[in-house]
């Protein structure tokens, strides 16, 4: 009879090694860098703009969220790095001028979306719209009550052509308001400043609307009204809280100030009924057997360094217990069952240790081979059959290439895995801890494959291929192009050009670049990962039912 202890992962990492020391030193610097970057982002538009907000007797977006969530609880921010180092010609837009994330209100996990009026008066940049839409999409998929704290001057006009017209632009916000309402997902809005032009539709398309005195809600402000129809009217007469409470009837509750409005939202959330029971079965949680701080010594910053991904898993899952699936087959992908915070998960993780078997050629860690792709596809289908959420842990170089791989049907096996990921109906969570390159990103449930949540560590890289490979390819193309125009480069010029191309490419593979463009939902530290996954699994457990899994025609 199999003993439970047979499935306890045994750590064999050498913490006295030079690799361990180098990893720890790297992470000390990287952690400090992340904390400094977050601190700067959290200042929003800066101290002077914060002072201006306080002078209006208003709290900042982050202060409002702190007052709104349950005392002593954590706000799990999403999109902190949105628009990072973007729009610098306009003075930048820290966090894309809006704060989004998960927080507990009266014990209920909610999505919170708050305009940051210290950043260009809360105007919508292109990435602001995308960030709000992503937060709404997460709430929509996971049936999360959503709270909007509105304080926005509307679209940032100099960039209106990139904000206004497309499917994933500003108008999608209102579409999702309507779809969430139809799905029975509670939405509450507090207007706590300006809410003008097209943005005025957002609060009115939610279930409940609060408004503080001194705020404004109108399609056209006083200046626009005067220019358009010659009517002279004050902001309070046109769209103040008293007018909307007593005359238009647009709002449900008028509040004197921010603290009163936030207190009222908490009362409204307290009145909400229980969420429908999830088909995901939670059991009692148990801590891992190894400290999560070990990850800073285990996880390498060197993409060529081998490591056993089970050492990572052992520090994330309950009791470090991992029931491995087809352990001796397709070993460059590690698949298995575990619990995190009591929630069941099916884990698909890239193995970065090379696989060496007597009499067989080695298999390279981080590469998906025919056998591993087939194993993962079958495992994903099994998790769908048993209503088990999926956790993909990325450190993938891509699929194997070459004569043997093609003859073994790597394309067919890869298509099978991509099909299983695409048609999966259980929640999917992606965690990128290293490389996530090319088709490997697709097979491991990259952003295009609709994960419920996607996170990355600072060690992650996000691109079609690695920096050196890409730089060599791009250099070759550039040299040929220049030679066709009659210019022949010296070896020194080629070397300088290679260096320039590689630096540019590697900047674009940095996880901050990906997080700025919302290719990942949040850039997190290893020590934050287990708790973040627990809250994420709680979020996906709000889904009351899943569709029937149907992979269609699948390659065999």
């Amino acid at each position: 009879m199999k003993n439970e202890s047979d499935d306890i992962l045994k750590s064999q990492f050498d913490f006295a090694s030079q690799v361990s020391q180098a990893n720890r030193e790297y992470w000390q610097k990287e952690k400090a860098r992340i904390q400094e970057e977050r601190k700067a982002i959290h200042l929003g538009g800066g101290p002077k703009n914060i002072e201006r907000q306080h002078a209006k007797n208003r709290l900042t977006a982050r202060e409002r969220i702190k007052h709104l969530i349950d005392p002593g609880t954590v706000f799990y921010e999403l999109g902190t790095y949105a628009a990072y180092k973007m729009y610098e010609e306009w003075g930048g837009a820290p966090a894309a001028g809006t704060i989004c994330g998960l927080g507990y209100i009266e014990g209920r996990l909610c999505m919170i979306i708050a305009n940051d009026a210290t950043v260009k008066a809360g105007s919508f940049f292109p990435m602001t719209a995308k960030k709000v839409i992503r937060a709404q999409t997460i709430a929509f998929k996971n049936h999360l009550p959503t709270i909007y704290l509105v304080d926005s001057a509307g679209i940032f006009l100099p960039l209106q052509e990139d904000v206004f017209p497309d499917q994933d632009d500003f108008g999608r916000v209102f579409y999702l308001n309507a779809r969430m309402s139809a799905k029975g997902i509670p939405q509450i809005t507090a207007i706590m400043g300006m809410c003008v032009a097209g943005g005025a539709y957002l609060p009115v398309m939610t279930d409940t609307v609060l408004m503080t005195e001194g705020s404004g809600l109108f399609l056209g402000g006083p200046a626009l009204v005067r220019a358009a129809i010659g009517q002279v009217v004050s902001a309070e007469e046109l769209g103040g809280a008293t007018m909307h409470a007593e005359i238009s009837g647009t709002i449900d509750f008028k509040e004197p100030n921010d603290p009163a409005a936030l207190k009222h939202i908490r009362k409204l959330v307290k009145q909400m009924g229980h969420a429908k029971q999830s088909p995901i079965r939670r059991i009692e949680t148990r801590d891992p057997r190894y400290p999560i701080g070990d990850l800073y010594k285990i996880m390498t910053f060197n993409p060529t360094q081998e490591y056993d991904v089970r050492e990572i898993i052992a520090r994330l899952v309950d009791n470090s217990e991992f029931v491995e699936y087809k352990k001796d087959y397709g070993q460059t992908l590690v698949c298995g069952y575990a619990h995190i915070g009591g929630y069941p998960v099916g884990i698909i993780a890239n193995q970065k240790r090379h696989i060496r078997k007597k009499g067989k050629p080695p298999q390279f860690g981080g590469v998906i081979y025919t056998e591993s792709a087939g194993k993962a596809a079958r495992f994903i289908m099994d998790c769908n059959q048993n209503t088990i959420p999926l956790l993909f842990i990325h450190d993938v170089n891509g699929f194997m290439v070459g004569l043997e791989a093609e003859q073994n049907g790597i394309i067919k096996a890869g298509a099978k895995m991509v099909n299983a990921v695409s048609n999966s109906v259980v929640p999917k969570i992606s965690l990128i801890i290293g490389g996530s390159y090319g088709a490997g990103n697709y097979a491991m449930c990259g952003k295009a494959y609709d994960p419920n949540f996607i996170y990355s560590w600072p060690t992650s890289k996000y691109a079609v291929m690695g920096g050196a490979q890409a730089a060599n390819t791009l250099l070759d193309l550039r040299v040929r192009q220049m030679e066709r125009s009659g210019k022949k480069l010296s070896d020194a010029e080629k070397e300088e050009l290679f260096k320039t191309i590689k630096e540019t490419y590697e900047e674009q593979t940095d996880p901050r670049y990906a997080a700025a463009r919302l290719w990942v939902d949040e850039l997190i530290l290893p020590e934050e990962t287990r708790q973040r996954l627990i809250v994420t699994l709680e979020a996906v457990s709000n889904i009351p039912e899943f569709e029937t899994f149907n992979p269609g025609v699948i390659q065999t």
Side-chain angles (χ1 to χ4, degrees), residues 77-89:
E77 190 162 353
L78 299 168
T80 301
Y81 279 80
Y84 183 70
K85 292 190 175 180
M86 296 173 69
Y87 313 122
E88 291 183 335
E89 68 275 28

Side-chain angles (χ1 to χ4, degrees), residues 336-372:
Y337 307 100
H339 286 83
I340 299 177
Y343 294 99
V345 286
I347 297 174
I348 302 102
N350 299 112
Q351 175 60 284
K352 282 292 283 187
R353 192 176 64 186
H354 301 327
I355 309 301
R356 302 169 179 88
K357 290 186 177 180
K358 191 174 180 180
K360 292 185 177 181
Q363 290 192 337
F364 300 107
V367 177
I368 301 175
Y369 289 78
T370 300
E371 302 92 337
S372 46

Side-chain angles (χ1 to χ4, degrees), residues 40 207 229 276 333 394 493:
D207 305 332
I229 62 174
K276 292 180 182 177
L333 276 175
H394 302 219
E493 287 173 323

Side-chain angles (χ1 to χ4, degrees), residues 437-474:
Y437 296 115
N441 170 271
Y442 298 164
M444 291 296 290
C445 195
K447 186 69 181 290
Y449 289 79
D450 204 19
N452 294 60
F453 292 85
I454 180 167
Y455 303 114
S456 71
W457 284 359
T459 39
S460 66
K461 299 288 182 185
Y462 213 127
V464 172
M465 62 180 75
Q469 296 165 286
N472 278 313
T473 303
L474 291 167

Side-chain angles (χ1 to χ4, degrees), residues 233-255:
V233 62
S234 71
E236 185 61 34
E237 292 172 308
L238 190 63
T242 299
M243 191 282 285
H244 282 304
E246 298 179 5
I247 300 173
S248 76
T250 301
I251 66 171
D252 303 308
F253 302 99
K254 183 179 77 168
E255 300 296 337

